[in-house]
Each structure stands twice: as structure tokens, then as C-alpha cells.
Amino acid sequence: MSIDGVTLTRWYNAYDQASGKIDTSKNLSIDQMASGLVRTYWQANGVVGAITDSAPAGTALATGVKTMDKFIGVSEEKKPLATILETSKNIGKATGLVATSQIMHATTAAYSSHFPDRSKEAIIAEQQVYNSIDVVFGGGYGNLQNREDDEDLVNVLKNQGYQYLTDKKDLTNAKNKTWGMFAESAMSYEMDQKTLTPSEPSLSEMTKKSIDILSKDKDGFFLMVESSKVDWAAHANDPIGMISEINAFDQSVKAALDYAKKNEDTMVIAITDHGNSGLTIGNKQTDTTYSKDSVDKFVAPLKKAKLTGEGIGKKISGNTDNLVKIMAEYGGISDLSTEEIAQLKAVLNDEKKDKQALYGSNMQALYGQLISKRASLGFTTSGHTGEDITLYTYLPNDERLTGTINNTDIPKAIAKIWGIDLSKETKNYYTDAKEALEKLGAKVSIDDSDQNNVKLVATKGKTTLEIPENKNYVLLNGKNKELESVAVNVENTFYVNNKALKLMK
């Protein structure tokens, strides 16, 4: 999320389309929380990178450690790192994850799983299911069933005592341990939900329900909420998608603030993991006019849109006969040129052949170009950017994080409040099992007869200890023994909770 995205969203909300008036006093909920800046660079193997990806950025925010590109919850040496979610859980706090992407996507994965490849969502999903998180809301049920390891993770959740939800109407009945999977992969942009996916809840609805459930725990709670598709819209250079999800994020922050201000014992931090797209309010078209251009030049064209670029693509659904009508009715563009119509048809035909952009669709990217041209908005890239990002914090005693800090400082600040030492907890949760068990005199081997369910096996006298990958239990002479954290297998090196080692006599 970029600062210009926040600014554009504020102006968008302030502009009244009917009267053309602008309410300059209109603010976002996050505005009252701005307290500093955050540096987002990555660092590993002696290299410092200015522009980070979501996996190392998420890992920094979750663990307080900088790491390699594509790494999730592991150090540059590929060793698992204890996350602030895991450590808060293990001191008795309730925990929750909410996202509008698939919950296995980079940021939420970094808080709840460990693997040196963010694309391995099947592995990430299994670790998440076995990581005993109290509330999980988002998309991604496609990673829970019809898996190569033949494990039905929905049944696993139900057997663990979770309520499993798939529809917005079921959200009101959620009371305790709950997994809500509202889409096969990512959820829709919030602006598109009413028209295209009315069964999906809003981000603020998921946030409020999470707080309702988690706040019942007398020991307190940790909740991480992500408006995931701000990033995706930025990749597609779709300003409507960006505004949709920044507003969704702001409403979820409001829900958290309302709770925090009422209870006066809660810290709220709102940030992005990195910049994206280089959005500018103003472009080459405004080089000589910017000092005379009023706000409505930049937001009036955007106000005409009723769907994001992704939503428009779904509404057209490959039928180019209704393209012009839908672009006018839902995209807010009624003056398409002959050349633009030809461009749109060519993109739609390409997408029939599954030639898609990295995030979103080529249709969304083209729509972003068309609407941005009309709104005099600029974009420098379809990728991430390296600027410092805004830090938004709230604490009832006003001991907020201020100044310019590092992204790794954020989990450390939370850990300090709760008396947690993240480095120490990493040593407790993720010990090299083979090395430790051999020191105890055990014979250790890897059983990879089932490539999708690899396990470490240790024997010593009459004792056999089996450690299945991605599970929060071990088998001691065939009997399940539950652990506080999952066993992580990285290239046949197993990392396991120290409690498992104590079982080997």
C-alpha cells in the first residue's frame, strides 16, 4: 500500500459525486494513528535489497528477523523462526488470522507456517491447520481438500473441534474455535462482493467477529488482519481496486480501534509490508496544469465505477458483445475509442487462452490503464517499490511506536509488552531433531516411502519416536503426543519442539 493510495482513497471518500463538493474534513480511521515511518528493506547473505517481497517482509513482521526472498517464517539458513502469533499462543493468548487472499498467501503464511518457498501452499496449509490457531477467516479452501497427500484438512479441522464456515450467513453463529473459508482461492474485492459474490463477508465483518471470539479469552489475544488485495490491485495498476481494499482495510482498523478505545488494554498497529506500483496523483498530462487542477479532476472519473477491473472482467465473462455496455455501466467509462475497444477485445481473447498477468488479469490491468488515463493518475511500475511506509499505532497510554523504525522492530515491540523473547522461543520450538536425538543415543532415519507424508523416525532401545512433517504431534511407540508447535521439514532436516525430545528416554 502506498501513501498516494491512502491519499487518493481519502479524496475519493470526500468527493460527493452528485453535488461535486469536496469535504476536506473527511478523514480515514488510520489518520488519527499516524506515528512514524517503517523501513522495509530485505537483508540476507550479505546483500541488502531496497525493494522487498511479501514473504521476507511478512517474516520480518512476524519474527523480527530479515530473511531471503520467497522465504516464509525461516531464516536465511532455512531454519524455522518462532512467530509472534505462535509465541503469544503458547503463553495463553487466543490467536487469529484474517485475510482476503487465500490464507496460505505470503503474509498470513509468515505468521503461521515455516518453509523456504512461499509457493508451496499445500505445505503451508497443512502447517496452519495443525498450528492450533483459534480463528482463521479468509479464502483458500482449495488447499484443504483434494490434496496430493490424500489428507482432507477440512475433516481434520472438524475433528479438532473447529466450526467450519463457508458462507457469510454462518458468520453470526461462530462462537469459539472457527475456520471460515469463503472462497476457493482469494476472496473478491470488497467493491465487487455485493454484485458478484454476496456470500462473502466483508473484511470488517470478519475482523469484528474475530475480536468477538478472541476477546473472550481472559489472557488476551493476538489478531493479524490483512486487506490482501490492495497489493494485487496495485500490481494491476487498478486504482478502483486499490480504493476498494484500502477502504476495506480502514473499516477493519476502525473495528479494532473501537474495541481498543472501549477496553483500554489493547495495542493496534496498522501498516503495510511494502510499497507497490509507484502510484502518483498527477501524471505527464498534468505537467503544466497541476497548480490549477481541482480534486474532482482526479476522483470524479473514479466515482463513476461500480466494480473493480477484476469485477468488470468477471461481469463481461469473455462475452465481447456486452463489453461496451458493461464498461459504461460498471466501469464508469462511456467514451471508449475504437482503438480502446479493440484493445479490450484482444485482451479478452488472450484470457480465453489462459494468458494471464501475475496478479489479477490482463483485463484488470488494461481497465486500470483506461480509468487512470481519465483520472490523470500515474504508475511507475507493476511491481513493488522501496519507499518507507507509514506507521500507524494506537496505545491507550500513548506509549506508541514513533520515528523511523525497522519492520523487525514491530514484533519485538509486541513481544516486549508480553515478556516474550522471540529468539529464545525459536530455540524451544524448532530444534534440529536429528542432531539432538543422536546426541541422546538414538538411531535416526528419514521415512520417505510416502513422498507426500515424510517423517523422521528415531529409535533407542524399546522406544520409537516418529515425527511427521507439518503436524503438531509425534508418535511415541505408536501413541499420539501433542506439541505446542508443528514439526517443520526443510529438505529432510526436521525441526521439532523441545518437548518431543524429552519423550526419548
Side-chain angles (χ1 to χ4, degrees), residues 134-194:
D134 295 287
V135 175
V136 177
F137 292 142
Y141 66 73
N143 283 308
L144 302 182
Q145 294 177 304
N146 301 316
R147 296 166 49 86
E148 288 186 7
D149 61 8
D150 295 325
E151 188 164 13
D152 187 333
L153 294 180
V154 173
N155 281 341
V156 171
L157 287 168
K158 291 177 179 178
N159 290 335
Q160 290 177 348
Y162 284 92
Q163 291 176 270
Y164 182 75
L165 315 178
T166 57
D167 195 287
K168 173 181 177 176
K169 67 178 185 297
D170 298 324
L171 200 61
T172 54
N173 299 320
K175 295 178 181 178
N176 297 306
K177 290 172 57 176
T178 309
W179 267 66
M181 293 281 96
F182 303 105
E184 183 176 3
S185 185
M187 296 172 66
S188 296
Y189 287 93
E190 198 148 303
M191 186 181 284
D192 299 340
Q193 285 180 339
K194 186 176 180 180

Side-chain angles (χ1 to χ4, degrees), residues 195-262:
T195 302
L196 299 174
T197 53
S199 65
E200 293 182 4
S202 69
L203 185 64
S204 62
E205 287 171 332
M206 292 190 291
T207 303
K208 288 174 185 175
K209 177 53 69 172
S210 298
I211 293 172
D212 286 347
I213 295 171
L214 298 174
S215 61
K216 294 175 184 175
D217 191 314
K218 61 182 175 59
D219 298 309
F221 67 92
F222 173 86
L223 173 63
M224 203 291 291
V225 178
E226 183 187 48
S227 183
S228 315
K229 293 175 75 169
V230 177
D231 176 73
W232 299 18
H235 276 294
N237 291 179
D238 175 6
I240 304 300
M242 295 171 74
I243 289 167
S244 165
E245 302 312 283
I246 291 172
N247 268 330
F249 177 67
D250 194 60
Q251 286 301 305
S252 71
V253 171
K254 181 180 184 302
L257 277 176
D258 288 347
Y259 174 84
K261 289 178 178 179
K262 182 179 179 181

Side-chain angles (χ1 to χ4, degrees), residues 46 81 143 155 163 223 271 287 313 335 372 375 380 404 406 449-450 480 484:
L81 300 162
N143 283 308
N155 281 341
Q163 291 176 270
L223 173 63
I271 57 167
D287 278 355
D335 60 344
S372 296
T380 63
T404 300
N406 215 315
S449 54
D450 181 350
N480 276 32
E484 294 172 339

Side-chain angles (χ1 to χ4, degrees), residues 153-431:
L153 294 180
V154 173
N155 281 341
V156 171
L157 287 168
K158 291 177 179 178
N159 290 335
Q160 290 177 348
Y162 284 92
Q163 291 176 270
Y164 182 75
L165 315 178
T166 57
D167 195 287
K168 173 181 177 176
K169 67 178 185 297
D170 298 324
L171 200 61
T172 54
N173 299 320
K175 295 178 181 178
N176 297 306
K177 290 172 57 176
T178 309
W179 267 66
M181 293 281 96
F182 303 105
E184 183 176 3
S185 185
M187 296 172 66
S188 296
Y189 287 93
E190 198 148 303
M191 186 181 284
D192 299 340
Q193 285 180 339
K194 186 176 180 180
T195 302
L196 299 174
T197 53
S199 65
E200 293 182 4
S202 69
L203 185 64
S204 62
E205 287 171 332
M206 292 190 291
T207 303
K208 288 174 185 175
K209 177 53 69 172
S210 298
I211 293 172
D212 286 347
I213 295 171
L214 298 174
S215 61
K216 294 175 184 175
D217 191 314
K218 61 182 175 59
D219 298 309
F221 67 92
F222 173 86
L223 173 63
M224 203 291 291
V225 178
E226 183 187 48
S227 183
S228 315
K229 293 175 75 169
V230 177
D231 176 73
W232 299 18
H235 276 294
N237 291 179
D238 175 6
I240 304 300
M242 295 171 74
I243 289 167
S244 165
E245 302 312 283
I246 291 172
N247 268 330
F249 177 67
D250 194 60
Q251 286 301 305
S252 71
V253 171
K254 181 180 184 302
L257 277 176
D258 288 347
Y259 174 84
K261 289 178 178 179
K262 182 179 179 181
N263 291 275
E264 297 187 349
D265 63 354
T266 302
M267 182 182 193
V268 181
I269 301 174
I271 57 167
T272 180
D273 51 352
H274 52 72
N276 194 334
S277 79
L279 168 68
T280 57
I281 300 173
N283 60 12
K284 284 294 182 181
Q285 295 171 344
T286 62
D287 278 355
T288 58
T289 65
Y290 61 83
S291 61
K292 304 179 187 67
D293 292 331
S294 62
V295 168
D296 61 324
K297 175 171 184 170
F298 305 103
V299 296
L302 307 179
K303 278 285 189 174
K304 298 175 184 178
K306 297 176 183 175
L307 294 175
T308 70
E310 178 181 283
I312 290 164
K314 290 179 179 178
K315 195 73 178 174
I316 295 171
S317 191
N319 181 6
T320 56
D321 293 339
N322 60 7
L323 185 155
V324 173
K325 180 181 177 182
I326 287 175
M327 285 292 287
E329 183 178 353
Y330 293 98
I333 301 176
S334 56
D335 60 344
L336 285 170
S337 67
T338 303
E339 182 184 357
E340 288 172 335
I341 292 171
Q343 283 181 296
L344 287 162
K345 287 182 176 180
V347 164
L348 288 166
N349 286 329
D350 268 354
E351 291 192 352
K352 289 178 185 176
K353 302 170 188 174
D354 294 326
K355 293 181 181 178
Q356 296 228 342
L358 179 62
Y359 284 92
S361 63
N362 292 319
M363 175 65 197
Q364 183 180 11
L366 178 55
Y367 172 74
Q369 291 176 28
L370 299 178
I371 196 71
S372 296
K373 181 173 71 174
R374 287 159 172 80
S376 299
L377 303 176
F379 290 90
T380 63
T381 178
S382 295
H384 295 179
T385 50
E387 71 273 20
D388 295 346
I389 52 90
T390 307
L391 172 67
Y392 303 95
T393 57
Y394 172 83
L395 265 175
N397 57 6
D398 206 34
E399 293 180 3
R400 302 192 295 166
L401 298 171
T402 58
T404 300
I405 66 171
N406 215 315
N407 53 7
T408 52
D409 293 328
I410 289 168
K412 292 174 184 177
I414 301 170
K416 183 178 179 181
I417 288 172
W418 281 341
I420 296 169
D421 184 330
L422 287 167
S423 298
K424 182 179 178 181
E425 296 306 318
T426 289
K427 293 177 182 177
N428 288 335
Y429 298 168
Y430 300 111
T431 298

Side-chain angles (χ1 to χ4, degrees), residues 93-122:
K93 312 291 183 184
T95 56
L97 284 178
V98 176
T100 49
S101 65
Q102 60 272 35
I103 210 73
M104 306 83 193
H105 207 257
T107 306
T108 36
Y111 282 85
S112 55
S113 64
H114 311 271
F115 205 72
D117 185 350
R118 60 174 287 186
S119 71
K120 302 298 184 183
E121 292 190 358

